[in-house]
Amino acid sequence: MTSDLKSWQACAYGGLILTMFFCVVLHEFGHALTAKRFGIQTKDIILSPIGGVARLHKMPDQPLHEFYITIAGPLVNLVIGSLVGIIMYYVTGHFSLSVDTYNFNEPLEFVRFIAPINLTLFMFNLIPAFPMDGGRILRSLLALKIGKIKATKLASLVGKTLAVGFIVFGIFNQQVILSLIGLFIFMMAGKEYDQTKIADILSKTYVKEILRSHFTRFHTSDPYTRIIEAYYQQGEHYFLVFDSLGKICGNIPKSFIKDTIKNQTTEKTADQMMSDKYAVVSPNQTLAEAIQIMRNQGCSIVAVEDNEILIGVLDKENIEDYIQLKTS
Ligand code: ZN
């Protein structure tokens, strides 16, 4: 009799965990579907034991869009929690948020428990600290008044203050999990600010400001020994490759040169070890636009052309150095 009871309970607990995951997925769909309404596609939804993330193709530019996209997730949990709570209240006559009041020897209690799970998810996600939805909601509302950068800085500060509160409260009340959540929030708070600052720099800097106008041109028939020479002596790590007519036909990324040195295959010519991908950007495009093109084409270096005249190149390291300089 006891073992029967245990096996159905094991199934019920398993079912409860699956239901929880399902609710987290619905929460993420809340974000993804709202983002779609504003023309932003979702790359994928990642689930982990500590929750889910809907990875959007880009962050919304408008604070109000961010507000709606972010709040949609917790609202899904509020709706599920309230509906299950109300229905179960009618069926059983009980409603409670406290785990202690649930009697898990009764099958129906597992269904009733879906309500507090969702309401807890709702409240937890509304904690106004990054990377929780609450942090983004706070940021988007502040951004309406003071702009995104300042709003992110302020929201990070609120998150950090809260995190310290959680850590201290957790230590004094021997609630290890609360302290750990605090620690996690504290570490993540600054990251969001850094990312926002970088995104701002990229959208306000033009290719012409950081392009390399001095660069070495290599042809398909050039030997790798010359490329390696330029790599070490000129400090150039990414190269464009030109065909016999002088047209760009591909690129050589840093990793190819390093592999060639490592594998001692320096007798090769450029065309034997090059990528046939290439892209052209305009000097008047922003770095954010240029990075998007580089990602789409799968190149770490692009040609910069002004009225079809090649005036320079832009590579991954130029951009990284510039960001480092601007953020340090
Ligand atoms: Zn969310």
Side-chain angles (χ1 to χ4, degrees):
M1 185 69 188
T2 333
S3 71
D4 277 354
L5 195 71
K6 276 186 180 158
S7 62
W8 80 255
Q9 273 182 325
C11 288
Y13 279 116
L16 199 63
I17 289 170
L18 281 181
T19 311
M20 255 175 88
F21 264 98
F22 185 62
C23 293
V24 171
V25 173
L26 290 180
H27 169 115
E28 300 307 330
F29 265 99
H31 292 309
L33 293 177
T34 318
K36 204 176 168 188
R37 276 194 64 126
F38 296 119
I40 300 170
Q41 300 295 323
T42 303
K43 254 189 266 178
D44 48 25
I45 290 175
I46 299 172
L47 288 182
S48 74
I50 57 159
V53 187
R55 295 199 303 167
L56 304 181
H57 265 288
K58 68 179 199 91
M59 291 311 285
D61 301 321
Q62 306 253 0
L64 259 187
H65 290 182
E66 179 176 42
F67 174 78
Y68 289 127
I69 293 169
T70 315
I71 206 160
L75 283 184
V76 169
N77 297 116
L78 179 66
V79 171
I80 301 172
S82 307
L83 277 179
V84 174
I86 291 167
I87 295 170
M88 283 294 115
Y89 182 72
Y90 270 103
V91 176
T92 63
H94 301 291
F95 175 79
S96 169
L97 280 177
S98 166
V99 186
D100 306 336
T101 58
Y102 287 79
N103 172 13
F104 291 113
N105 290 318
E106 294 286 326
L108 209 56
E109 290 290 274
F110 284 91
V111 183
R112 201 164 73 87
F113 196 54
I114 293 169
I117 285 178
N118 276 279
L119 294 175
T120 309
L121 275 175
F122 169 70
M123 289 185 289
F124 180 74
N125 276 295
L126 285 189
I127 295 172
F130 296 118
M132 254 77 82
D133 291 333
R136 292 176 197 287
I137 293 169
L138 176 65
R139 186 255 303 271
S140 63
L141 292 175
L142 289 170
L144 287 171
K145 290 268 174 227
I146 57 173
K148 197 169 179 179
I149 300 286
K150 273 189 189 163
T152 311
K153 198 170 185 177
L154 197 56
S156 292
L157 196 69
V158 171
K160 273 188 181 164
T161 314
L162 260 176
V164 172
F166 282 179
I167 295 169
V168 173
F169 186 87
I171 291 170
F172 279 102
N173 294 280
Q174 288 172 339
Q175 302 219 7
V176 183
I177 294 186
L178 197 66
S179 289
L180 287 177
I181 292 175
L183 207 64
F184 174 68
I185 295 176
F186 193 85
M187 291 190 305
M188 298 300 279
K191 213 174 153 191
E192 183 71 32
Y193 176 60
D194 291 344
Q195 279 172 358
T196 310
K197 213 166 133 189
I198 290 170
D200 186 64
I201 293 168
L202 295 177
S203 67
K204 286 180 181 156
T205 310
Y206 293 92
V207 171
K208 61 184 167 200
E209 295 174 54
I210 70 159
L211 64 82
R212 276 198 286 132
S213 48
H214 294 286
F215 61 96
T216 315
R217 294 170 187 237
F218 284 109
H219 289 89
T220 44
S221 57
D222 284 331
Y224 247 89
T225 43
R226 278 195 50 209
I227 299 168
I228 292 165
E229 213 176 270
Y231 178 88
Y232 283 126
Q233 290 174 8
Q234 261 93 268
E236 292 178 58
H237 297 153
Y238 297 87
F239 300 95
L240 291 179
V241 182
F242 297 79
D243 64 14
S244 52
L245 298 170
K247 278 188 159 180
I248 306 166
C249 62
N251 79 89
I252 294 177
K254 190 177 178 176
S255 58
F256 283 23
I257 305 169
K258 281 168 98 178
D259 280 350
T260 311
I261 298 169
K262 203 171 126 198
N263 300 327
Q264 296 176 322
T265 47
T266 48
E267 75 285 352
K268 280 188 175 168
T269 48
D271 60 338
Q272 288 176 301
M273 183 109 171
M274 64 177 263
S275 157
D276 58 4
K277 290 173 180 160
Y278 63 91
V280 176
V281 299
S282 137
N284 297 317
Q285 279 181 298
T286 63
L287 292 187
E289 288 166 332
I291 289 171
Q292 198 58 47
I293 293 170
M294 289 164 102
R295 273 197 195 134
N296 290 345
Q297 302 297 323
C299 322
S300 302
I301 180 168
V302 284
V304 185
E305 284 186 4
D306 193 13
N307 290 322
E308 294 184 22
I309 295 168
L310 183 63
I311 58 165
V313 295
L314 179 74
D315 70 38
K316 211 177 129 203
E317 280 182 354
N318 291 145
I319 302 173
E320 282 167 0
D321 289 348
Y322 183 73
I323 291 171
Q324 219 159 41
L325 198 81
K326 281 287 192 175
T327 49
S328 60

